[in-house]
Amino acid sequence: MLGTRLARVLLVDDHAPLRELMRELLEERGCEVVAEAGDGLEALEALEGLAAIENDCDIVVMDLSMPQLGGIEATQAIVHRHPGVEVVGFTTRDDPLTSAAMLEAGATRHFVKTQYRALVDHVAGWRPRDRAAS
């Protein structure tokens, strides 16, 4: 049935065990993790590669503090280069300034890593019609 596909996700975090945990939780909810990246540069490369093989990415789960290219800069680049892709911030910092910075960069939501279940619920609730409505 059209419109029932769950999210295709790119996980971006420099902490591999956390990416593994998030992958497991998202896949348990029916999401497809199409790629993982350890920093913002790898995330941009992964999105370009996915676009080249016509494999959409719907949501990027983005850490804030990473080597090479951090989450804010990577989010800005993704929003500019891939406007149909939703970016969701996922950081250790639980403060209004961090949340505001991620949202200003173009993220649609910001979750603190202790709220990982709320993030999984958000991603699992994504539907293709959401992109068309925006």
Side-chain angles (χ1 to χ4, degrees), residues 10-14 19 35-44 46 66:
L10 167 59
L11 295 174
V12 186
D13 196 295
D14 58 337
R19 289 196 317 264
E36 296 182 23
D39 62 52
L41 286 177
E42 288 180 12
L44 292 171
M66 297 177 290

Side-chain angles (χ1 to χ4, degrees), residues 34-92:
V34 294
E36 296 182 23
D39 62 52
L41 286 177
E42 288 180 12
L44 292 171
E45 290 172 4
L47 282 173
E48 293 301 324
L50 291 168
I53 60 170
E54 297 183 12
N55 186 9
D56 280 343
C57 174
D58 303 306
I59 298 179
V60 176
V61 175
M62 180 69 69
D63 187 19
L64 180 71
S65 299
M66 297 177 290
Q68 299 210 36
L69 185 65
I72 290 174
E73 297 85 0
T75 297
Q76 290 169 331
I78 289 167
V79 169
H80 178 72
R81 296 179 193 171
H82 305 276
V85 176
E86 178 181 350
V87 179
V88 177
F90 189 52
T91 68
T92 57

Side-chain angles (χ1 to χ4, degrees), residues 13-33:
D13 196 295
D14 58 337
H15 191 65
L18 180 60
R19 289 196 317 264
E20 182 178 328
L21 171 65
M22 294 308 297
R23 173 186 283 275
E24 289 174 14
L25 292 172
L26 289 165
E27 289 177 345
E28 283 175 5
R29 295 288 300 274
C31 299
E32 179 184 358
V33 177

Side-chain angles (χ1 to χ4, degrees), residues 63-130:
D63 187 19
L64 180 71
S65 299
M66 297 177 290
Q68 299 210 36
L69 185 65
I72 290 174
E73 297 85 0
T75 297
Q76 290 169 331
I78 289 167
V79 169
H80 178 72
R81 296 179 193 171
H82 305 276
V85 176
E86 178 181 350
V87 179
V88 177
F90 189 52
T91 68
T92 57
R93 298 183 189 165
D94 186 12
D95 67 79
L97 293 176
T98 298
S99 184
M102 286 300 290
L103 296 174
E104 187 175 311
T108 58
R109 297 282 305 269
H110 172 251
F111 293 91
V112 178
K113 288 184 178 177
T114 56
Q115 302 170 323
Y116 65 93
R117 294 229 181 256
L119 169 75
V120 170
D121 288 344
H122 174 78
V123 174
W126 179 92
R127 296 294 181 268
R129 68 183 180 282
D130 294 343

